[in-house]
Amino acid sequence: MKNSRQIVFETLYKIFYDDAYSHIALDSALSGTESGKSFVTRLVYGVVERKITIDKIISDFCKKPKPKVLVILRMGVYQLYFMDKVPANAAINESVELANKNGLGFYSKLINAVLHNINDNRIDIASIEDLSIKYSVPKHLINMWYKAYGKDSVDLFLPSLNENAPVFAVPNRVFVDADELLYELNCDGIEGEVQEDLVMITSSFNLKECRAFQNGLFHIEDMSCYNAVKVLDVKENDVVLDVCSAPGGKAFSAASFMNNQGKVYALDIYEHRVNLIKAGADRLGLTSVCPMVNDACKFNSSLPAADKIICDVPCSGFGIIRRKPEIRYKNLDSIKDLPDLQFKILNTSSKYLKSGGKLLYSTCTLNKRENEKVVERFISENNDFTVSEMKTTFPCETGGDGFFYSVLERK
């Protein structure tokens, strides 16, 4: 059986050199593994998250190491700097052993020497002036944010990008409110605190073993996303379309606000993702949710006219970096076509809205080209719509993710 560091080594190599998504590569690596999951998860996500910082530290002692050697050095440095419970000698010795086990014995002395030098010549990361290195965020991304949101706002949220993202449990209002849900979670040995009308979970937990979850008392959704749906102000007996619904959190929140009275058409282009929505709705007992396969880019005349529409479009994801750390390394050129896709989905979705109805356009990114600019383009081409509210939320330690939403009303 592979030990934990071997699993980390193989997973990181796939992420850095085979362009694997971190959560998919990690889930695959941990499949069938019971012990060491928390260590593997922490080390994989930590190395990806802190890659720029780590590579700067390595570069002062080793120039252009081979890919597999670099992965081992990154693992070693992360343990030395960010995992206090791992003794320095263990971090170094295990890195050397990892090299030997993977046919890199020729480089074992190099790895040993580099890590010893790094450990003996530690730098204070908190005192680093270059924010890109300090927070491990590419300069082009920081510059884009500075231009869009101003230095003061960006400098405030940069530290949170390397913090653990809070987990929020959304009460199923058909059965419980936030205080009642917290009591049920406490009975399952799960700690938390009520924030507004959600429960922020503050202890480790396993959904598979949580009775409150299995009994349909809550679903997991970020606070920023939940608050956007709340602003849409859905009512009992409304007809709601959630056009890019999977995995279904927004649809579940809407159905809960409606007290399960009305219809929420939860739409997604892929059948396997629609099946995820159906499973979630069944667990929650939300019979008002109707999962369906549908292409959001194409008008579907069989869908009903809607009182409210949720249009949470595919985006670059720069607001959820702390949940998916590799997103920060995206090349900006790779997302240049997204605004056109987002506009197309928004434009198509608007055709289902009744007069006097409301449409929520939202993304989990911090990029004005995907946010305000898309809304501005839509309004300029659809004079029967007005903007009633628009908001950008920045990520913070105890709050929601970075998020944008705009509520559009049809005259």
Side-chain angles (χ1 to χ4, degrees), residues 353-365:
L353 193 65
K354 296 178 181 178
S355 295
K358 294 181 179 180
L359 184 153
L360 175 74
Y361 174 81
S362 63
T363 76
C364 58
T365 196

Side-chain angles (χ1 to χ4, degrees), residues 323-334:
R323 298 185 189 275
K324 297 181 179 179
E326 72 269 25
I327 285 176
R328 70 185 72 198
Y329 306 117
K330 279 184 177 180
N331 187 313
L332 294 183
D333 284 341
S334 70

Side-chain angles (χ1 to χ4, degrees), residues 48-50 52 135-138 140-141 145 161-162 318 321-322 324-331:
V48 175
E49 180 180 88
R50 286 289 190 171
I52 293 176
Y135 297 118
S136 195
V137 178
H140 66 260
L141 188 53
W145 284 338
L161 300 184
N162 296 319
F318 290 138
I321 283 175
R322 57 188 178 180
K324 297 181 179 179
E326 72 269 25
I327 285 176
R328 70 185 72 198
Y329 306 117
K330 279 184 177 180
N331 187 313

